[in-house]
Amino acid sequence: MGLYEALGIASIALASTVNAAVSSTGFTVAVDGIDYFLPPKPVASISGCEEIKASFKESPFIPITVASNGTFDVASYSYDDVWQTGFLEAVYLQGGSAPVNSSYTVLSGSASDALAPGPYFVNAAGQVYEAWRLYSDVQGAFTESVIANGDGSYSVLPAGTVGQKLAIAVPSRLYYMKTADKPLAGVRVGIKDIYDIKGLRTSNGNRAWYWLYAPAKNTAPPVQNLIDAGAVIIGKMITSQFANGETATADWVDYHEAFNPRGDGYQDTSSSSSGGGAGTASYSWLDVSLGSDTGGSIRGPSQVQGLFGNRPSHGLVSLDHTMPLSPVLDTPGLIARDPVTWTEAAKAMYGPNITISDAYPMKIQTLSWPTSASNPANALLIDFLGNVTEYLQANSSAYNVTAEFGADNPTLAPLTTIMNLTYALLITKQQVELVRKPFYADYAAKYDGRRPFVNPVPLARWGWGDNQTLTVADGIANKTLFMSWANTTFLAPSDTTCSDSLVMYVGSTARANPRNIYLDEPGVPFGFSSSRISVMAEVPDFVVPLGEAAYNSTITGHVEYLPVTANLMVAKGCDGMLFNLIEELHAAGILKTAKAGRSGVTGGEILLKRENILSY
Ligand SMILES: *[C@@H]1O[C@H](CO)[C@@H](O)[C@H](O)[C@H]1NC(C)=O
Ligand SMILES: *[C@@H]1O[C@H](CO)[C@@H](O)[C@H](O)[C@H]1NC(C)=O
Ligand SMILES: *[C@@H]1O[C@H](CO)[C@@H](O)[C@H](O)[C@H]1NC(C)=O
Ligand SMILES: *[C@@H]1O[C@H](CO)[C@@H](O)[C@H](O)[C@H]1NC(C)=O
Ligand SMILES: *[C@@H]1O[C@H](CO)[C@@H](O)[C@H](O)[C@H]1NC(C)=O
Ligand SMILES: *[C@@H]1O[C@H](CO)[C@@H](O)[C@H](O)[C@H]1NC(C)=O
Ligand SMILES: *[C@@H]1O[C@H](CO)[C@@H](O)[C@H](O)[C@H]1NC(C)=O
Ligand SMILES: *[C@@H]1O[C@H](CO)[C@@H](O)[C@H](O)[C@H]1NC(C)=O
Ligand SMILES: *[C@@H]1O[C@H](CO)[C@@H](O)[C@H](O)[C@H]1NC(C)=O
Ligand SMILES: *[C@@H]1O[C@H](CO)[C@@H](O)[C@H](O)[C@H]1NC(C)=O
Ligand SMILES: *[C@@H]1O[C@H](CO)[C@@H](O)[C@H](O)[C@H]1NC(C)=O
């Protein structure tokens, strides 16, 4: 009897060789009250850190600043939200000469590899780690926080911070320099959780789905295009379930809707790109979100949160490894506060499939546009139309889509009849076939014939679809009928200006839609409105923020402000022209960069969040 057995200790562990796979998942530290994440792999080592040797007795990591050209001026670093004065504990001067401030401790060793300027941590062995700042996702916009593994795959960020939500890590903006090759270098992007990212699970807003399927082996092309251009993917973002339209309180059973920061902070975010809209409106540390728009899923969140958001022409980039709602209608688009960053990201994502051009239509056609400045929202809309008309030296006129269609097609049913069921039919029939069918089969096979939980809205829609005898082909026939008419009338192409006209309709008018309201049972999205035009005609439909207007909040009992936005449409394939026009309107001061926070115009802290809490 061995000694261990005599002592009652199992000897199994000693008899066989145990090779536990232990690997570092990075480190978390706080510097002057701000949380940081250090990715597991050092980026360089500095020989002999004699000058700070004593400090390692207090802490395993010392924050340092790398200055790349010898001269170092704090003022040029302070725009970065990751760097802070705590990193001046020591300075490493790449390239020689002295810093402007002679009171800094300068490291005399030399680094094994070239380092981009910015904040770093060094350990006693001289290993140098990047500094990623940890922010709290206080608005619940993310489903998973993400860190690149450096081999094309991603992992869940193993870090936390105050806020009862995920911690999101962002790298210093100082590390990156935009180049022709990497136009999105350092741009921080969030991804709607319907796009696969290699190494991560996808949820599609459904818990059963998240756990049923293995982590993705591929990255969806729209995401890969952004990564290839240098974008830093910082997380997966909240989607309503299977990208259907859901409203808070009643419908979001599996996961909670994200929080809209505007006004009283309790307005619905719209869906389905709920997290992308809410996150972009809330966080200055997030630059762009990738959403998807089948029937309004980018435009809705952009309208109610006062952001730039685009539904592109249909078919600009492959949607492989992306959950379908209706492939004949699905599109990937971007949400941003700044139209310049937005356009850069679009150029990278759509590549040669968009062509930037600067000859613009001289004809503006408006759909149900206000004609009198009877309230502040209408005043903003009227001013905007006037500004654009003047800028383009164009003429504008009102256009009535249903009336014009009727006049051009006297023998057909009214447009509202032709289009009434088309959207509902296409999304339900296609999603039942492409998503529900394999999902139910795979789940039943694994769990002894059981059905997975599905939220009320997708369930009601799928159930309606099951009962329809009309087919996908019937839906496509009506869609094609409308598209052929639209692309020869108000959305016709032009040889000289890409699109014959610029079509505008009202996006949002600061109308309150508080999220604490109990609603009726979920229904099916019948009907036709201006927002369905681009869906059926496959044309670009972009939201631009114009300002904000007051409303009386039922939540705060106070006057608050919500966004006013407009939608711009042009002929199919003219996305590049529209992006460029919006950039020019921005440069001319007609459109403004939206701010993060309570107001898209003045910024400001989200109501429940106080400025004195540093790490938010
Ligand atoms: C380094 O200095 C050169 C020449 O002054 C300048 O062009 C370059 O932008 C500097 N690089 C950095 C990272 O500051
Ligand atoms: C030099 O650095 C020290 C320490 O960070 C700081 O207190 C001081 O204000 C700096 N002086 C100048 C002129 O920037
Ligand atoms: C451009 O569109 C074509 C056809 O849809 C597609 O095959 C190609 O991958 C797209 N290009 C990019 C960069 O996504
Ligand atoms: C705009 O309307 C005016 C007057 O009706 C006309 O003279 C002008 O040619 C029009 N301009 C364009 C670009 O159609
Ligand atoms: C458009 O025309 C239809 C009739 O086809 C009418 O019912 C509707 O009120 C008109 N809309 C506007 C905004 O004038
Ligand atoms: C649209 O279809 C729904 C469901 O069949 C029906 O209740 C509604 O009356 C229809 N509306 C129009 C304008 O045809
Ligand atoms: C197509 O339009 C016809 C009217 O012309 C309508 O009866 C039918 O329901 C529509 N089908 C779909 C799938 O929208
Ligand atoms: C489908 O049709 C059946 C039989 O008419 C009906 O009982 C059921 O409520 C319908 N389901 C939906 C979701 O419309
Ligand atoms: C107009 O729409 C029809 C039907 O979808 C399509 O076949 C055609 O290519 C479109 N033409 C243009 C110029 O977009
Ligand atoms: C808010 O309510 C007050 C009192 O009913 C009213 O006078 C005021 O016009 C309202 N303000 C807005 C922005 O609706
Ligand atoms: C937009 O139009 C309004 C009203 O005419 C005017 O006051 C404002 O200066 C214009 N803005 C720009 C940037 O041209």
Side-chain angles (χ1 to χ4, degrees):
M1 190 183 275
L3 174 62
Y4 286 91
E5 279 155 279
L7 293 171
I9 297 169
S11 60
I12 302 158
L14 296 175
S16 60
T17 308
V18 173
N19 273 317
V22 178
S23 57
S24 170
T25 55
F27 312 89
T28 55
V29 302
V31 177
D32 296 343
I34 295 180
D35 290 336
Y36 291 90
F37 177 74
L38 288 56
K41 289 197 190 88
V43 288
S45 60
I46 295 179
S47 63
C49 291
E50 294 304 321
E51 296 79 7
I52 50 173
K53 211 163 192 166
S55 304
F56 291 113
K57 291 201 183 84
E58 317 272 310
S59 155
F61 295 103
I62 304 300
I64 65 164
T65 294
V66 170
S68 85
N69 264 358
T71 60
F72 167 59
D73 185 5
V74 172
S76 70
Y77 277 41
S78 41
Y79 81 91
D80 179 37
D81 57 340
V82 178
W83 185 86
Q84 49 137 316
T85 53
F87 287 93
L88 290 174
E89 193 154 333
V91 175
Y92 174 69
L93 296 166
Q94 200 153 248
S97 60
V100 276
N101 187 333
S102 58
S103 66
Y104 299 140
T105 300
V106 176
L107 298 180
S108 58
S110 63
S112 60
D113 297 88
L115 287 164
Y120 292 87
F121 291 92
V122 61
N123 66 14
Q127 290 174 306
V128 181
Y129 293 86
E130 284 184 348
W132 289 51
R133 181 165 173 177
L134 290 172
Y135 283 104
S136 178
D137 175 26
V138 288
Q139 297 291 99
F142 287 83
T143 58
E144 198 120 87
S145 53
V146 160
I147 187 99
N149 296 328
D151 61 358
S153 73
Y154 286 76
S155 292
V156 176
L157 180 80
T161 192
V162 65
Q164 304 185 319
K165 297 281 182 191
L166 292 172
I168 308 293
V170 302
S172 168
R173 293 189 187 279
L174 294 162
Y175 298 157
Y176 300 93
M177 261 221 306
K178 292 186 174 139
T179 61
D181 234 24
K182 302 279 179 208
L184 301 183
V187 172
R188 302 159 182 176
V189 179
I191 307 294
K192 184 176 184 174
D193 198 15
I194 63 163
Y195 293 96
D196 282 354
I197 297 182
K198 188 178 173 183
L200 299 171
R201 289 171 193 273
T202 304
S203 77
N204 298 331
N206 182 281
R207 296 166 73 222
W209 187 290
Y210 179 88
W211 288 111
L212 182 61
Y213 295 108
K217 292 192 174 62
N218 296 285
T219 296
V223 183
Q224 192 61 52
N225 290 351
L226 294 167
I227 294 170
D228 291 346
V232 180
I233 307 301
I234 62 171
K236 288 289 211 67
M237 304 193 82
I238 284 275
T239 174
S240 49
Q241 197 167 81
F242 299 114
N244 281 272
E246 295 183 303
T247 314
T249 299
D251 303 331
W252 289 73
V253 180
D254 251 6
Y255 296 97
H256 217 40
E257 186 182 275
F259 284 86
N260 178 341
R262 307 307 193 191
D264 56 36
Y266 278 82
Q267 299 298 307
D268 202 88
T269 60
S270 187
S271 40
S272 59
S273 309
S274 165
T280 310
S282 300
Y283 308 137
S284 59
W285 45 265
L286 170 67
D287 300 318
V288 179
S289 299
L290 170 63
S292 68
D293 190 312
T294 303
S297 285
I298 285 171
R299 292 168 291 152
S302 303
Q303 289 164 342
V304 302
Q305 286 161 125
L307 298 164
F308 293 87
N310 75 303
R311 178 192 170 91
S313 295
H314 187 260
L316 289 188
V317 51
S318 154
L319 290 176
D320 289 348
H321 312 298
T322 306
M323 186 214 60
L325 176 49
S326 168
V328 299
L329 309 177
D330 292 344
T331 62
L334 300 160
I335 302 174
R337 293 180 304 278
D338 174 27
V340 178
T341 310
W342 184 53
T343 302
E344 280 304 316
K347 284 194 224 167
M349 188 167 86
Y350 305 121
N353 288 349
I354 65 170
T355 306
I356 300 293
S357 64
D358 63 0
Y360 304 119
M362 306 273 282
K363 185 161 85 192
I364 297 174
Q365 285 169 310
T366 59
L367 315 179
S368 306
W369 204 264
T371 49
S372 89
S374 49
N375 59 46
N378 285 351
L380 284 168
L381 289 159
I382 287 171
D383 276 2
F384 177 65
L385 176 59
N387 292 156
V388 178
T389 306
E390 189 185 334
Y391 186 82
L392 295 178
Q393 297 287 295
N395 282 346
S396 84
S397 55
Y399 190 83
N400 184 328
V401 176
T402 53
E404 296 289 338
F405 182 89
D408 287 352
N409 301 283
T411 60
L412 296 181
L415 185 61
T416 46
T417 305
I418 295 174
M419 292 280 103
N420 188 40
L421 303 182
T422 313
Y423 179 72
L425 191 82
L426 289 172
I427 61 167
T428 59
K429 289 284 185 194
Q430 292 206 289
Q431 197 166 49
V432 161
E433 183 64 24
L434 299 169
V435 174
R436 188 186 71 182
K437 205 166 141 186
F439 180 38
Y440 279 16
D442 294 344
Y443 192 89
K446 185 162 181 191
Y447 295 112
D448 194 22
R450 289 179 170 84
R451 217 170 40 214
F453 176 81
V454 170
N455 278 358
V457 166
L459 217 49
R461 291 175 171 197
W462 293 346
W464 177 84
D466 287 338
N467 275 0
Q468 304 309 305
T469 51
L470 290 165
T471 63
V472 169
D474 294 326
I476 292 176
N478 286 17
K479 173 186 175 299
T480 303
L481 174 71
F482 174 71
M483 177 168 164
S484 324
W485 172 76
N487 73 22
T488 51
T489 54
F490 71 118
L491 288 165
S494 154
D495 289 341
T496 50
T497 58
C498 196
S499 180
D500 184 47
S501 60
L502 174 66
V503 178
M504 291 191 193
Y505 66 96
V506 176
S508 52
T509 55
R511 195 178 56 84
N513 184 20
R515 59 186 283 152
N516 60 338
I517 302 294
Y518 289 90
L519 296 165
D520 294 338
E521 281 183 31
V524 178
F526 302 125
F528 187 73
S529 65
S530 295
S531 70
R532 287 271 182 272
I533 293 169
S534 53
V535 175
M536 297 300 161
E538 304 189 356
V539 303
D541 185 347
F542 293 8
V543 176
V544 296
L546 305 183
E548 61 185 7
Y551 74 105
N552 280 322
S553 166
T554 55
I555 310 285
T556 61
H558 201 280
V559 170
E560 308 291 355
Y561 291 83
L562 287 176
V564 176
T565 60
N567 282 60
L568 308 179
M569 291 191 287
V570 288
K572 186 176 181 187
C574 299
D575 303 67
M577 181 268 280
L578 194 49
F579 274 116
N580 211 46
L581 171 60
I582 291 168
E583 268 205 22
E584 283 192 23
L585 296 176
H586 180 251
I590 293 169
L591 290 173
K592 301 208 166 53
T593 302
K595 292 206 160 79
R598 177 142 54 105
S599 158
V601 177
T602 56
E605 286 294 307
I606 300 160
L607 273 179
L608 55 80
K609 214 172 108 228
R610 294 288 168 234
E611 278 168 88
N612 58 5
I613 300 176
L614 269 180
S615 49
Y616 287 0

